[in-house]
Amino acid sequence: MSRRIGIILIAILGIALIGGLGYFGYRYISSGSGTITVWTIKGNEDAVKQVATVFNKSHRGYKINIVPVAESDYEMKALYVLAAQKGSKDYPAPDVWIMPNEWMEQHRNKLVPAPEKSLDSAIQNFKIKRAKGEAAPQFPAKGRTNIQVIEQDYAPIAKSDLINGDKVWGVPLNMDTLALYYDKSKVSAPPKTWTEVVNLTKKLTNRSDSTINQSAIALGDNQSINHFADIMSILMLQSGTKMVDENSKVATFNGDGSGTASGVKALDFYTSFSKPGRETYSWNRSLGQSLKALKDGKTTMALGYLNDVSTLGSLEKSRIAVAPLPQTDTNNPQTYGRYLVATVTKQAQSATNEKKVTAAWDFVSLFANPDVSQQYAEKQHVTPARTDVAKRVTLSTVYKPFLDQVGLAIDWQKTEVQVADGAINDAIDLVLKDNATPPVALNTSSKNYTAFLQTDTGIVTDPGVITLWQSSDDATDFKPIIDNFLQDNSDVKRVALSKHTSARYEWELLSAMAAHAGPDIAIIQNDHMRRYAATLQAFPKGTLNPAQQRADDLLALQKLYNPPVYTDNVFDGKIYGVPANFETLMLAVNYDVYTKRSNEELEKRGSEFTKNENKFTDGPMLWDDLKELSRLATKRDGATLTLPYIAIGTGNNVAHAADLYAVLVKQFGGTLTDPDRNVSGINLPFSSQNTTVAGKEAEDLLKSFTQPQNNFYTWNSSQPNSLEALADGKVMAAFIYPRDVQIIKDRNPKVQLRGFSLPQVKNNTDPVDFASYFSMTVPLASAKSPMAFKFISSSLKQSQSAFTEGSKFISPRKPDPVKTIDRLDSGNPQSFQGATATSYYKGYYPEAIDAIVTNLMEGKVNLDQAADQMSQSLKKRIL
């Protein structure tokens, strides 16, 4: 090729590229290659693609793969895939994570900070191509640090959220702010201060005693007010409230706790709008959600974000207008902000591509470029994050108040959003529901939030310490196991046992795993093992160490341990967990209630109860026996139950109702899922010749105890929770697991309980029981996995000891099976039920399966609907 032809081709190529992308001044930056995966909330992907086009021009070896994820489960999917350290075809693990700004603090430990000067480089290297004669806006100064860019080019909220230590951890994509929506047909001049809001409220509210005929403003509540936590926060912040002392981890929004504290005054002001008797009373929950109430004309003013326009409809020709947020001090205007922020995860720290983190941050840094920021805002129809771009962007007049407020946005550091907002919610609840004074309410919620901030996270970085996490649902006592392990392993300083509330366990566990922060051993409920398997390490060969057994671990698990241990913990031929403690469902009787009831019947001559007392002391062998005991022991006043015999047959108020149904299906010979674990068969007959439907048989048997026409009617949905009722002596019997005993005794320390084996269906010589237990697992995030597996091996050796009466520790090793006829005199059911125990596969969403069965027992769905919903859930994957 001649030099002249080469020059012409280069020129043509350059013109084509510039014209196609609308940019000039590109500078080739990276010689690396690979794929950078960007996760964003669904609906945002087109604007992100636009930025990817700019990036690809300067990083020709990299491909940007944009993964849009539904907002409803965005966080959980991200945590799961980061914990698994890999994704799927549809959800590859994110290198770049675009998230709400409020998540930054709770997820900072999963991120890597920006390389120095990356933001300045992105700002200076790209400028949009403009029409001939169009003046380019002044660009920011060159040579600034990342921190200077964030501090100088964005609202104060960006500094608060994105600068930590001497590093920048993200770049804003947009900036939405809290503003005042109002009905311009009723308000000619929107209020600029909260004092003016009060005056308008007094003038425009139409009420008759506590009945509000027309609301002036939607404020004061925590259930019906959109963004109540943000509104309450900005009222505090505008008044100068310091929300948290980050150094001492103390919540300070109650100030000095007095009635004069700014936070207390803000709470009193806010709740006054929802308190009958106050002169500002203008709102209650009967009016519906605040923004919809404004749209429907029930209220004149409401607070919201630009993002809420979709709820209100098009404002261009509407009676609804928007104005800046009212202020406490007009000389220092502030509003609450929300925005999306792009950042880079630890997933980008690829061992095979050292340049990937830098390239990922080059992509993220592009959002700091003024021209890119403007294009993003115009493409997405949002207000830009940069204050200079907010002054020049071309958007409709509806946006003007929001554009004017871009530089005024603030917030406060929330270690975890839900808990922080929950503290504000609790304070409002205490005032509105419990009639607490604002100082008392704020002191209480502040104290509770401080307790959360100071809670031990369970994350330990000492290399000589093994961390073990356990849910509060698990009553296994690991102390003797730990003590024995430490005696044999002097190189381990200690095993740090951390117990987490069951409601928060999954979130905290996945969050720690996603941050590569452990734990080393995670205790996971058996029916959740499929959900967690991708985040766990498979057991290395020899972990089980079967004593004097010539078998590999899989065969040892199958032959030597209770049946569910194998089916629950083995996936794709690999072991992912094993229990130290094994529990089966049993019948528990409050013996104090039984004794009192027996004494009552002794006074009656010829009482049937007394004649059949041996059935109570021996326990029911069959479900038919249980019906008979229910008939004899239940006290009724007509159709009213005054003392039920047993809690059974409903869903919401019976502990382990789903397990009861499942074991009955199995006892009737049915299955809950097909062999491939994809479809539920609870509504299917055995065959064309045998039309019996095990799922229907189980449903009918359980519900028969709730039908008043039956002489063994004993329970209904109006009764209290079964465990509470058993503890309080409001029912004689209930089905429990051994771990429930402590819950019952915490409520009633003096309760006397006696356990019986699970009843069986008639003609079943081989019993069927049900297991629920917790497995020891080793997360991928464990940095000390060899020692963690050594701990598990040690615990299994200890668990081989026989079950002893009164022990909280039940061996998962298979005992000798006991026939149905022999179960009445075989002692504690936990000593023999393991051999005949079963469980069933619940897929990736076990709580959903339990909820479906509960709804079946409550009559909210029929059997066919339940089976269909279960099948849908079984087929659903996390990724």
Side-chain angles (χ1 to χ4, degrees):
M1 180 187 294
S2 70
R3 183 166 180 259
R4 181 183 175 192
I5 293 174
I7 292 171
I8 292 172
L9 286 174
I10 291 170
I12 291 172
L13 182 61
I15 292 169
L17 289 172
I18 292 170
L21 298 176
Y23 270 73
F24 70 89
Y26 287 103
R27 178 179 161 197
Y28 184 70
I29 293 175
S30 174
S31 60
S33 63
T35 298
I36 295 174
T37 298
V38 181
W39 274 38
T40 189
I41 296 171
K42 190 169 288 187
N44 193 46
E45 57 267 31
D46 287 345
V48 176
K49 285 178 184 176
Q50 188 171 258
V51 180
T53 300
V54 178
F55 173 82
N56 287 140
K57 186 59 183 168
S58 61
H59 296 72
R60 293 175 216 140
Y62 283 96
K63 174 188 175 183
I64 298 294
N65 179 29
I66 299 170
V67 180
V69 184
E71 187 172 6
S72 58
D73 56 356
Y74 186 56
E75 183 181 34
M76 188 56 71
K77 278 188 183 293
L79 290 180
Y80 188 90
V81 74
L82 289 171
Q85 299 180 15
K86 63 180 180 179
S88 63
K89 179 181 178 182
D90 294 330
Y91 297 99
D95 303 303
V96 173
W97 189 6
I98 295 174
M99 67 173 73
N101 65 298
E102 289 186 312
W103 292 4
M104 281 298 294
E105 187 63 24
Q106 66 196 38
H107 294 314
R108 195 184 308 280
N109 59 0
K110 305 162 190 67
L111 311 175
V112 292
E116 195 47 67
K117 295 293 184 74
S118 64
L119 273 62
D120 178 67
S121 176
I123 290 172
Q124 301 304 325
N125 284 338
F126 307 97
K127 295 181 181 178
I128 197 168
K129 181 181 179 182
R130 303 182 185 281
K132 187 175 181 180
E134 179 185 355
Q138 184 177 356
F139 248 57
K142 296 180 180 181
R144 295 180 298 163
T145 66
N146 291 336
I147 288 177
Q148 287 173 327
V149 171
I150 294 297
E151 289 180 336
Q152 296 169 12
D153 297 0
Y154 296 91
I157 190 174
K159 177 181 178 180
S160 171
D161 294 341
L162 306 179
I163 298 175
N164 186 271
D166 60 350
K167 300 292 184 182
V168 167
W169 296 79
V171 177
L173 276 64
N174 69 305
M175 187 61 64
D176 201 355
T177 54
L178 204 57
L180 177 73
Y181 286 102
Y182 67 99
D183 188 336
K184 60 188 177 186
S185 69
K186 297 176 182 177
V187 175
S188 56
K192 296 180 180 178
T193 67
W194 293 109
T195 300
E196 292 177 10
V197 168
V198 169
N199 293 334
L200 267 177
T201 299
K202 295 176 184 177
K203 178 182 176 182
L204 297 177
T205 302
N206 181 340
R207 66 182 187 227
S208 303
D209 297 324
S210 61
T211 301
I212 298 172
N213 303 313
Q214 175 63 43
S215 164
I217 189 167
L219 274 183
D221 187 32
N222 56 347
Q223 291 188 17
S224 58
I225 302 297
N226 298 95
H227 319 301
F228 76 89
D230 293 358
I231 297 169
M232 188 67 240
S233 293
I234 194 61
L235 285 170
M236 290 178 167
L237 293 168
Q238 282 186 0
S239 301
T241 305
K242 182 180 180 181
M243 304 297 286
V244 174
D245 185 331
E246 295 171 23
N247 293 326
S248 59
K249 295 185 178 181
V250 172
T252 55
F253 46 76
N254 63 328
D256 58 5
S258 71
T260 61
S262 58
V264 171
K265 287 183 176 180
L267 177 62
D268 183 52
F269 176 78
Y270 179 79
T271 53
S272 72
F273 291 88
S274 286
K275 293 206 75 172
R278 297 291 292 269
E279 61 179 359
T280 49
Y281 176 54
S282 184
W283 182 261
N284 61 46
R285 294 173 189 174
S286 68
L287 297 168
Q289 290 300 119
S290 57
L291 290 169
K292 189 174 186 304
L294 175 63
K295 182 180 180 180
D296 295 343
K298 295 179 182 179
T299 189
T300 305
M301 297 178 286
L303 303 183
Y305 289 95
L306 173 62
N307 192 49
D308 293 315
V309 168
S310 59
T311 300
L312 297 169
S314 175
L315 300 189
E316 278 78 359
K317 297 180 181 180
S318 170
R319 60 179 172 77
I320 299 173
V322 62
L325 187 74
Q327 299 294 316
T328 299
D329 179 4
T330 55
N331 293 319
N332 181 31
Q334 297 172 319
T335 185
Y336 208 80
R338 281 186 173 182
Y339 58 95
L340 290 177
V341 55
T343 186
V344 176
T345 73
K346 289 179 178 178
Q347 187 69 30
Q349 293 176 320
S350 171
T352 59
N353 189 349
E354 296 177 0
K355 297 179 180 179
K356 194 173 185 181
V357 167
T358 301
W361 261 109
D362 286 346
F363 173 80
V364 168
S365 298
L366 275 173
F367 288 100
N369 179 278
D371 286 345
V372 173
S373 176
Q374 180 173 347
Q375 281 201 339
Y376 176 88
E378 291 174 346
K379 178 74 173 179
Q380 199 64 14
H381 301 288
V382 295
T383 42
R386 292 185 60 92
T387 55
D388 55 351
V389 176
K391 295 174 183 177
R392 78 188 200 208
V393 73
T394 304
L395 296 167
S396 72
T397 55
V398 172
Y399 288 74
K400 186 178 186 312
F402 296 102
L403 290 169
D404 291 343
Q405 290 188 145
V406 164
L408 308 179
I410 61 172
D411 68 353
W412 60 285
Q413 286 286 307
K414 298 178 180 179
T415 300
E416 191 178 314
V417 178
Q418 287 186 329
V419 181
D421 289 351
I424 292 175
N425 177 76
D426 292 346
I428 296 171
D429 256 353
L430 286 166
V431 172
L432 297 182
K433 287 185 177 180
D434 300 340
N435 291 316
T437 63
V440 169
L442 216 54
N443 281 340
T444 300
S445 64
S446 175
K447 180 180 178 181
N448 291 339
Y449 190 54
T450 295
F452 164 76
L453 293 175
Q454 296 179 355
T455 300
D456 183 6
T457 63
I459 296 174
V460 180
T461 58
D462 189 328
V465 176
I466 296 175
T467 53
L468 187 155
W469 282 26
Q470 182 182 25
S471 163
S472 59
D473 281 343
D474 179 20
T476 304
D477 182 8
F478 280 96
K479 188 178 184 306
I481 296 175
I482 291 172
D483 290 343
N484 287 334
F485 174 76
L486 292 176
Q487 288 178 10
D488 297 335
N489 295 272
S490 58
D491 54 331
V492 179
K493 295 179 184 177
R494 65 187 176 96
V495 176
L497 177 62
S498 177
K499 204 152 193 175
H500 300 249
T501 60
S502 57
R504 291 180 49 80
Y505 188 55
E506 178 173 70
W507 192 94
E508 290 179 350
L509 181 57
L510 286 176
S511 184
M513 289 177 174
H516 301 178
D520 300 304
I521 301 165
I523 310 302
I524 295 175
Q525 193 158 0
N526 65 306
D527 58 6
H528 284 59
M529 284 298 296
R530 173 71 276 183
R531 181 172 177 84
Y532 281 98
T535 71
L536 306 174
Q537 299 184 43
F539 281 26
K541 183 178 180 181
T543 303
L544 301 188
N545 285 323
Q548 299 179 351
Q549 297 293 325
R550 294 182 179 180
D552 62 19
D553 285 358
L554 278 171
L555 188 59
L557 196 69
Q558 188 174 26
K559 297 295 184 182
L560 302 179
Y561 289 80
N562 291 326
V565 176
Y566 184 90
T567 57
D568 294 340
N569 293 281
V570 175
F571 301 99
D572 301 322
K574 297 177 181 179
I575 303 171
Y576 287 91
V578 66
N581 188 25
F582 195 85
E583 300 183 61
T584 54
L585 195 63
M586 65 180 181
L587 178 69
V589 172
N590 183 324
Y591 220 66
D592 298 323
V593 176
Y594 164 73
T595 301
K596 182 179 178 182
R597 187 80 178 85
S598 178
N599 290 337
E600 290 174 355
E601 294 295 330
L602 279 173
E603 297 177 3
K604 301 177 184 178
R605 183 173 295 179
S607 167
E608 252 195 293
F609 184 103
T610 305
K611 290 179 180 179
N612 291 277
E613 197 152 10
N614 64 307
K615 293 182 179 179
F616 290 97
T617 55
D618 293 342
M621 182 174 67
L622 305 175
W623 290 103
D624 287 345
D625 297 332
L626 193 74
K627 289 180 180 180
E628 181 67 3
L629 296 183
S630 178
R631 181 183 71 82
L632 294 171
T634 301
K635 293 176 68 175
R636 309 176 190 85
D637 183 3
T640 302
L641 297 169
T642 57
L643 180 64
Y645 166 65
I646 187 167
I648 189 173
T650 56
N652 291 326
N653 60 345
V654 172
H656 318 302
D659 291 357
L660 265 175
Y661 176 78
V663 74
L664 266 170
V665 171
K666 297 258 187 160
Q667 287 186 7
F668 278 113
T671 59
L672 286 97
T673 62
D674 69 351
D676 293 330
R677 297 181 165 186
N678 284 324
V679 178
S680 171
I682 58 173
N683 62 332
L684 300 178
F686 290 120
S687 67
S688 57
Q689 289 75 34
N690 184 353
T691 58
T692 302
V693 178
K696 182 63 175 171
E697 296 290 322
E699 180 188 5
D700 289 347
L701 174 57
L702 289 171
K703 287 185 175 179
S704 67
F705 288 92
T706 69
Q707 295 164 348
Q709 68 269 25
N710 292 330
N711 62 8
F712 53 89
Y713 166 57
T714 187
W715 192 254
N716 58 45
S717 295
S718 68
Q719 302 299 318
N721 172 272
S722 60
L723 298 184
E724 294 175 358
L726 189 64
D728 296 342
K730 295 179 179 179
V731 70
M732 190 184 298
F735 292 98
I736 70 168
Y737 289 103
R739 60 180 176 267
D740 296 321
V741 172
Q742 191 58 53
I743 297 172
I744 295 167
K745 289 192 172 183
D746 285 344
R747 187 175 179 90
N748 179 7
K750 295 182 180 180
V751 68
Q752 298 294 317
L753 296 176
R754 184 174 177 186
F756 297 93
S757 60
L758 191 73
Q760 302 294 309
V761 298
K762 194 174 182 179
N763 300 325
N764 259 15
T765 57
D766 294 321
V768 179
D769 294 287
F770 202 82
S772 177
Y773 59 91
F774 295 81
S775 290
M776 298 176 289
T777 71
V778 178
L780 290 168
S782 171
K784 305 153 196 168
S785 56
M787 193 56 69
F789 283 117
K790 195 172 183 180
F791 176 89
I792 291 174
S793 292
S794 174
S795 69
L796 291 176
K797 290 177 183 177
Q798 295 177 57
S799 73
Q800 292 174 13
S801 59
F803 174 84
T804 55
E805 190 72 27
S807 172
K808 294 182 179 179
F809 187 77
I810 307 156
S811 174
R813 302 271 290 196
K814 192 185 299 181
D816 293 332
V818 177
K819 295 289 185 180
T820 298
I821 193 70
D822 299 322
R823 287 158 66 98
L824 293 179
D825 58 359
S826 294
N828 192 313
Q830 298 304 315
S831 65
F832 58 83
Q833 287 191 159
T836 49
T838 185
S839 62
Y840 75 101
Y841 179 75
K842 298 182 182 179
Y844 290 83
Y845 294 90
E847 287 95 349
I849 297 292
D850 286 345
I852 292 165
V853 176
T854 298
N855 287 338
L856 175 66
M857 300 313 301
E858 290 291 319
K860 295 179 180 178
V861 294
N862 62 36
L863 191 63
D864 288 335
Q865 291 169 332
D868 182 60
Q869 291 175 11
M870 287 177 70
S871 296
Q872 292 179 36
S873 182
L874 290 169
K875 292 173 183 176
K876 188 178 179 183
R877 302 291 184 263
I878 295 179
L879 300 177

